[in-house]
Amino acid sequence: MAAIPFRIPRPRPGRLVLPLLVLALVAISIVRFGGYAAARPGYTVPHDGQLEAALGVRFTQAAVVGDGGLVELRYLVLDTQKASAFQNDTKHPPRLRNERSGKLAWRAALMKQGHELRPGQSYYLLYLNKDGAVRRGDTIEITSGQRRLAHVPVR
């Protein structure tokens, strides 16, 4: 019997172009988009040392929540005695004034923990956002007594 010659088929140049192109696009996509996670632009709240020393808290966030019907004002406890006095003064919560429109959010519901406040712990106040007085993207002024913290961005 005669041996049948075995020939290795040669690929056509046109058949390699598409798989190489797909492979190159996948590699570029992984390098370009898969190497890091894009973060949102930073959110910073202005600080006022005198306000913080007087109230014992640092305001850390203002956000419209509850389908736009509430404004949440978060704060961090710095001094437990002063912060307790601040939180227990239910008749005089801080007022929020929209710097763009001048509208006020003043009707507050205090977060009551039922125990002593702890330094470094976050707490919050909720405000009725009547008639959309405060909107995402606005800046507000927080007023407590004679002290004010201006240009607080609203999330």
Side-chain angles (χ1 to χ4, degrees):
M1 253 199 336
I4 301 175
F6 180 72
R7 291 181 56 191
I8 298 174
R10 292 187 186 183
R12 292 184 200 166
R15 287 188 179 181
L16 287 178
V17 172
L18 185 62
L20 288 176
L21 184 61
V22 169
L23 184 62
L25 287 174
V26 168
I28 289 170
S29 296
I30 289 172
V31 170
R32 172 66 177 97
F33 299 110
Y36 65 94
R40 289 184 183 175
Y43 176 82
T44 57
V45 173
H47 300 289
D48 180 346
Q50 292 177 342
L51 177 78
E52 293 172 2
L55 301 178
V57 301
R58 174 179 296 146
F59 295 105
T60 58
Q61 177 177 287
V64 175
V65 297
D67 201 25
L70 299 170
V71 177
E72 179 187 84
L73 181 62
R74 286 198 169 268
Y75 59 92
L76 183 72
V77 172
L78 303 173
D79 180 307
T80 54
Q81 289 179 334
K82 291 178 183 176
S84 292
F86 164 75
Q87 189 178 41
N88 291 332
D89 188 5
T90 58
K91 298 201 187 272
H92 305 100
R95 289 183 164 218
L96 309 180
R97 184 183 66 82
N98 187 323
E99 293 179 338
R100 178 185 48 82
S101 68
K103 293 182 179 180
L104 291 173
W106 56 272
R107 189 175 230 171
L110 300 169
M111 175 185 161
K112 194 64 177 166
Q113 290 297 317
H115 56 75
E116 279 191 42
L117 300 177
R118 293 179 285 177
Q121 183 71 39
S122 288
Y123 300 89
Y124 62 89
L125 302 169
L126 289 176
Y127 290 82
L128 176 65
N129 193 17
K130 187 174 180 186
D131 299 326
V134 178
R135 295 191 174 137
R136 288 180 183 91
D138 287 342
T139 56
I140 59 171
E141 178 182 77
I142 302 169
T143 305
S144 183
Q146 299 299 316
R147 294 174 175 82
R148 295 169 191 242
L149 182 62
H151 314 302
V152 176
V154 178
R155 288 184 149 179

